C-alpha cells in the first residue's frame, strides 16, 4: 500500500492538522488517487506528512480544495474564525471525537458550524480509526456515518468515502452530530443490562447452592466438600442461569402479545421497560448460550475429574467387599439417557440459534426465515432445555431428602420461569386467541374505538 | 432515534397509506432528514402518523413529491385510477407483498403499472420489514432489491435507500417484480432438498440399526436394550448420516468432471438434476457438519452415562471374582487411539470448512483461496473421516458375529459412498486425465467438432 | 435467473470475447436489463452466447456501446491495435488475469492502455469469478476492485457493478493494475508466516516430547508406549503450541510499547520485522485457537480411550488385591478441579475472542469496543491459560522424577514465553509508565527534540 504516483485525477482534498488521524487519512487519500494538501501553521515542517502530499499555510491550503477535513481538536477550533473568508462556501468535514460523553453542551460539529457560518459543515469519519485507515485492514467497522444540513456537501463526502473503499450512511441533519460523536465512546451499550442481569442471577444461585450444598454438608454432616465449588457447583449454576436467561428472551414477547390482546390494538407503544427488554433479547440469548456452552464443557470433563474417579473406584471396591453387585436398572438407564439426549439436542438447537444471529448469516435470511428461526426454533430450544431440566429431577421431586433445610434445589427454582413462558405461549397458541392476535398484528383494531376507515386497507 | 428537527433539505417523499409499513417508513425517512407527506382519505386523522409528518388527501399529497410510496394493499389499488392525472410522471414505489406465492397471475407492480400507465413504477423495499425499519437494528437483511423499467426512477429510489442506510440492488426490468414479490414468502428454498435427503438417510439407518441392534437382541437373546435408542443408536446413526452427506457433497463434482471428459467440452449444460445437486452442495455439507457435531457431543458424554458406568463396574467386579486381569493389548491401544485421533482431526477440518462457509468469511477469500478450502480441505476431511470409519471396524470386517441376521453393520453400508467418491477422485487425479480435464475447464474442446477459432483466445 | 425480456433501458454493453467469463458476464448483464453485444471474429457462430444477446464483428460491436469489456487473453491483445479508431474514446474494461504472479513485467491493463492510447482503460472485475457470476450465489467475494486513470470511465464501470448487485472499490490509478492482477493468484499470503511458525513450534515440541516420553520409556524402562503418540503426546503438544502462539500474539504489542517509550515518540516507524509481526497477530491468534480446540477435544475423549480405561481398571483391581483403598486427597481435588476450571474459562474466553474476530462481528464493533475485546479480553485469556498450565504442574516442579534425562517437561518450557509477556505487560501497566505511554500514543513527543508547535493540537 504505497502511495501511487502517476496522474492523479480524483481532485484535491485539503486536511487541516497533521496529527495522527490527519496523516493517516492523507496517506489513504493519496493511495486512492487524490491530491492532498495539508494546512499547517508551520508549512516548512513537512517531515511527517505522507510522501506525495503538500503542506501550505491554512489560507493557501483552503483555496486548493472544495472539501476540507478539520483534523484538529475542538479546543483549537477558535483560530478558524480568522479564516472565515477562505472557508466561505467550502465543505468542512468535522472528524473530531471527544474524550468522554457529553463533554460539551454543543456537539463539535455544531460548534464548528457556528464559528464558520459561511461553510457547509458535515460530521463524519469520526467512527473510523486512524489505525484502520493506516493498516488498510479495516478489521473494525468500514462504515462512515455522516450527517449535515447540506445534501450536496454530504454527497461530496460520501463520494470520498466510497473511493476509499468505505461505505457511507447518512444520519440526517447536523443535529445528529452529537449522537455520532458519542458512538466511538460507547462500550457495548446494548450488553450492559443483560450482563447485569446475568451477573445478578449467577450470584444469587451461586450463594443459594453454596449454602445448600457446601455449607449444609459442613454444618449437618461435618464434611468438607468445598473443592466442589470449582466445578460441581459451577456446573449447577451455569445451566440454571442459561435456562433462566433463555426464558427471559421469550417472556417479553409473550407479555407484549398479552398487552396487545388486552388493548385490542398494536398501535399503542409498549411501556418503556418492555421496549428496552424486547431490544435486549438478542444479547440475553447470546449470554444464555455462553452459559450453556460453559455447562456443556464442564459436563464433558466430569469423568476425568479426580473426585469423580475416586468416588467410582470407592464404590466398586465397596461392592466387591460387600460381595454384591448392583443390578442394572432399566428405568434409570432410560431416564438418564433421555435426560442427556434432550440436553444434547437442546444445545445443538441453541448453537443453531447462535449461528443464525451472526450478522453475516442473519443478513442472508429474509424476514420470514429470520422469524422462523428466532421464534419456532427458539421455542423448540426452550422446550428441549426445560424438559432436559425436568428429567434431571424426574425421581427427585418427591424425595424428602431433596429439600435440605426445607429449600428446593436450584433446578426446581429455575424451572419456574421457563414453565411460565411455555404455558403463556401455549395459551397464546389456542386457535381463537392466536387468530385474534394475528389480526391485531396485521393492523386490525378493536371496533369499539373509532378509527379511520382507511386503516384496514393500509399495509 | 427520534425525528430530528432542524432544517430538512433532503426533499419531500410522499407515502400513500398510513398502515404499519407506511408509518415505519415515514418515521425512518423523517429521521434521515426528508419531509414526509402521507396521502389519506381522511387527512384529519393524524393521530397515528409519525410526529413531524403531514397528512393530506391523496391528490394534494401527490403534488408535494416526485417519489410516492404505495403502501396499500393490492386489493385497493383500483382507487388509484381516479388519481391518474395527479400521478402523471411520478415515481410510484410498489412495496406490497402477497400472502402466498403465485396469488395473482400478474405481479402487484405490473398491475399497478397497468392501472397508472403515466407513472414510472418501481418495485422495491418489499424485502425490508416494517419492524426492521422501526427498530433501526436491521438484524435481518438491509438490502433493498428493486426493479423497474425507468433507470431514472430506479435511481431516485436507490438514493432514498442509501440515505436510509440501506444497500440497493437493481434486479432489472419490472418483469422481475413477481420474483421480488416471492422473496419474502420463501422459507429456506435451498435447504429443502438437502433436509429431505438428510431425513431420508437418517430414517433408513435408524430403522436398519433398530432392527439389527435392539430388535435382534430382543428376538434372539431375549434382552431388553431399548434404552440404547436414546444415545447408543443415535450415536451410530448420526456419524453415518454425516459421512454419507459429506460424500454427497463431493459426488456431483466428480460426476460433472466425468461428464465433461466424456463430452469433451464444458460448454454443454449439465442435466437439471446434476445442476440442482451442485447448487445444494453447501447445504449438504452444512447439514453433514450438524450431524457430525451431534455425533461428537454424544461421544463426549459416553463415559458419564449410567449404563456405560454400570457395564464397566460389572466387568471389573467380574475380573476380580475370576481372579484374572485382562492383559494390556498394544494393538488395540494403537487401533482405538488412531481411530479417535483421525476422528478428531477430521472433525476439526470439517469445522474449518464450516467456518469458511460463513458469508463474512468466504467474502474475504479470493476465488483461488475459496476453491482451495472447499476442494483440497474438503477432500482431506473426507479422507480423514472415511479412514476414521474404516478403523472403527478394523477387526470387525471378518468376524462372523458382526453380520447379525446376515446383514452388514451400519458403518459398512455407509462406507460405500465415500469410498466410491474417493476412488473417482483418485482416477480423476491421474496426470493424463487431470491434464485433459484442466484443458477442458480452461475452454478447450475436443477437436472433432467444429468450433470457432476464437474460442481458444477467449477468457 | 433467466434473461428478462421486456424493454431494456439500462443501455448497451459490449463484450469482446465469447469465452467462459465473457458469456457469464453477458448473461448477468442481460439479467440486469442491459443490452449485450458480443464482438467476435466469426459473428455467425452464436450458439454459445446467452440468449438475448447479439454477436457482431468487433468494429460493429464497438460502435454499439460506450463500455467494452475485453474478455480475451493478453496474448491476443495485439489484434486490438487494428481497431484503434473504433475504440477511440471508449471505456475498455480489462478483466484479464494471469496464470502466475509477475508473469509479465507490465500489467495487462497498462499493456492494453499502451496498445490503445485513445481509450480509457479501467482494470476491474478480475477478482470476480465466472462461476460466481453464473451461479448468482456469489459465495466468494462480491467486491469489484477497480483502478484506472479516468474518473468518469471508472464511474461507468462502478455503475455497472452496482447494477449487477456487486460492490465496487476504487483502488486508484492504473498503476495499481498489477496489484489487482495479483490478487486472484494469492493463496492466504497473511497466513504463511503464522503457519510456518506453528509448524515449527509443533515439530520442535513433538520431537522433544517424543524423546522424553516414548523413547525414554523404551530406553530406560524397556516399555513400548508408542501408542501414546496418537493422543497422549498430541494432547501435550497442542496445548503447548496454543499457549506459545497466544503469547506470540501479545509479545509484539509489548515490544512496540517499549520501543515507543524508549524513542519517546510514536511517529517513528517500527522495524520491518515488528511491523510484519504486528500484522500477523490475528492469524497467530486464530491458529492458537485452532490448537486449543484440538487440545479440548482430545481432553474430552480421554475417558473413552482403551488404555485409560485399562489403567483405571488395573488400579482398582490392584487396590482390592492389596486390600487397601486410597484415601481421598482434598488438596488434589482442589488442585485438579481448579486446573480444569481455569482451562474451561480460558478456553471460553478464547472462543469469544475468536468469534469477535469474525469479519461480520468485528464490523459491528466500534474502535473502543474492538480494542477492549482484543486487548482486555485477550490478556484475561492469556492469564487464565497460563495459570491453567501452572496449576497443571503445581506439584511437579520440585519432583526430581519430572526431570527425565535432566530435561524439563514440555509444559515448563512453554511457560517461559507467556510469563515474559505477562511480566512485560505488568511493567507497562505501572501507573507512571502507563501514563507516559498513553501520552505518547496521543501524539506527545519527548521535548528534547524540536517539533512544530502544532503537533499537540492535531488529532
Amino acid at each position: 500500500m504505497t502511495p501511487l504516483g502517476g496522474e492523479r485525477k480524483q481532485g484535491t482534498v485539503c486536511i487541516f492538522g497533521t496529527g495522527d488521524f490527519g496523516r493517516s487519512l492523507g496517506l489513504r487519500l493519496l493511495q486512492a488517487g487524490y491530491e492532498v494538501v495539508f494546512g499547517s501553521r508551520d508549512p516548512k515542517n513537512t517531515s511527517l506528512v505522507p510522501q506525495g502530499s503538500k503542506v501550505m499555510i491554512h489560507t493557501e491550503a483552503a483555496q486548493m480544495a472544495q472539501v476540507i477535513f478539520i483534523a484538529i481538536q475542538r479546543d483549537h477550533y477558535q483560530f478558524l474564525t480568522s479564516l472565515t473568508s477562505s472557508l466561505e462556501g467550502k465543505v468542512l468535514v468535522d472528524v473530531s471525537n471527544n474524550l468522554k460523553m457529553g463533554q460539551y453542551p454543543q456537539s463539535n460539529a455544531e460548534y464548528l458550524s457556528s464559528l464558520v457560518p459561511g461553510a457547509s459543515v458535515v460530521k463524519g469519519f469520526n467512527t473510523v480509526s486512524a489505525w484502520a485507515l493506516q493498516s488498510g485492514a479495516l478489521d473494525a467497522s468500514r462504515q462512515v456515518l455522516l450527517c449535515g444540513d447540506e445534501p450536496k456537501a454530504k454527497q461530496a463526502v460520501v463520494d470520498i468515502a466510497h473511493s476509499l473503499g468505505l461505505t457511507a450512511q447518512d444520519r440526517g441533519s447536523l443535529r445528529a452530530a452529537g449522537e455520532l460523536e458519542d458512538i466511538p465512546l460507547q462500550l457495548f451499550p446494548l450488553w450492559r443490562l443483560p450482563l447485569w442481569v446475568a451477573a445478578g442471577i449467577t450470584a444469587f444461585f451461586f450463594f443459594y447452592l453454596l449454602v445448600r450444598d457446601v455449607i449444609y454438608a459442613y454444618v449437618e454432616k461435618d464434611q468438607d466438600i468445598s473443592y466442589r465449588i470449582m466445578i460441581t457447583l459451577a456446573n449447577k449454576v451455569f445451566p440454571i442461569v442459561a435456562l433462566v436467561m433463555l426464558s427471559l428472551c421469550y417472556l417479553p414477547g409473550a407479555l407484549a402479545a398479552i398487552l396487545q390482546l388486552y388493548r385490542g390494538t398494536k398501535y399503542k407503544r409498549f411501556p418503556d421497560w418492555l421496549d428496552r427488554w424486547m431490544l435486549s433479547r438478542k444479547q440475553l440469548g447470546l449470554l444464555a448460550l455462553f452459559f450453556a456452552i460453559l455447562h456443556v464443557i464442564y459436563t464433558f470433563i466430569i469423568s476425568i475429574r479426580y473426585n469423580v474417579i475416586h468416588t467410582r473406584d470407592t464404590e466398586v471396591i465397596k461392592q466387591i467387599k460387600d460381595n454384591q453387585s448392583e443390578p442394572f436398572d432399566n428405568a434409570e438407564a432410560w431416564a438418564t439417557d433421555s435426560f442427556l439426549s434432550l440436553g444434547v439436542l437442546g444445545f445443538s438447537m441453541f448453537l443453531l440459534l447462535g449461528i443464525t444471529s451472526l450478522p453475516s448469516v442473519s443478513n442472508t435470511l429474509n424476514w420470514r426465515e429470520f422469524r422462523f428461526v428466532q421464534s419456532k426454533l427458539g421455542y423448540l430450544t426452550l422446550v428441549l432445555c426445560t424438559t432436559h431440566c425436568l428429567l434431571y429431577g424426574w425421581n427427585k421431586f418427591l424425595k424428602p431428602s431433596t429439600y435440605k433445610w426445607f429449600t428446593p434445589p436450584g433446578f426446581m427454582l429455575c424451572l419456574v420461569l421457563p414453565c411460565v413462558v411455555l404455558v403463556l405461549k401455549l395459551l397464546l397458541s389456542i386457535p381463537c386467541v392466536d387468530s385474534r392476535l394475528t389480526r391485531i398484528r396485521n393492523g386490525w383494531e378493536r371496533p369499539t374505538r373509532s378509527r379511520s376507515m382507511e386503516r384496514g386497507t393500509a399495509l
Side-chain angles (χ1 to χ4, degrees), chain A residues 191-267:
Chain A
W191 286 88
R192 300 219 161 169
L193 183 65
L195 276 170
W196 279 111
V197 171
I201 299 172
T202 309
F204 170 75
F205 277 102
F206 179 76
F207 288 110
Y208 185 78
L209 291 177
L210 189 72
V211 169
R212 260 184 57 94
D213 288 8
V214 179
I215 297 179
Y216 175 88
Y218 190 75
V219 172
E220 301 276 330
K221 303 189 179 163
D222 205 22
Q223 281 179 323
D224 176 12
I225 55 167
S226 59
Y227 68 88
R228 290 204 191 163
I229 290 171
M230 292 310 288
I231 297 189
T232 315
L233 207 65
N235 201 18
K236 281 183 180 179
V237 173
F238 292 153
I240 287 174
V241 178
L243 189 54
V244 172
M245 300 279 290
L246 183 62
S247 33
L248 285 180
C249 281
Y250 290 97
L251 188 54
L255 293 180
I258 291 168
L259 210 63
Q260 288 178 338
L261 280 172
Y262 172 77
R263 288 170 168 179
T265 175
K266 71 162 180 174
Y267 293 123

Side-chain angles (χ1 to χ4, degrees), chain A residues 259-316:
Chain A
L259 210 63
Q260 288 178 338
L261 280 172
Y262 172 77
R263 288 170 168 179
T265 175
K266 71 162 180 174
Y267 293 123
K268 264 186 157 170
R269 283 202 58 192
F270 294 127
D272 265 357
W273 58 268
L274 190 54
D275 248 359
R276 269 188 85 188
W277 194 352
M278 303 266 279
L279 286 174
S280 302
R281 284 181 294 182
K282 183 176 172 181
Q283 281 73 26
L284 284 168
L286 288 175
L287 280 177
L289 179 56
F290 183 73
F291 280 93
I293 289 174
L294 283 178
H295 164 51
V296 165
I297 300 181
Y298 274 124
T299 303
F300 289 164
I301 55 171
I302 282 180
S303 49
I304 57 170
R305 289 172 58 204
Y306 168 75
N307 70 317
V308 172
I309 296 171
H310 191 273
T311 311
R312 268 186 211 167
D313 289 358
T314 313
E315 211 154 287
V316 172

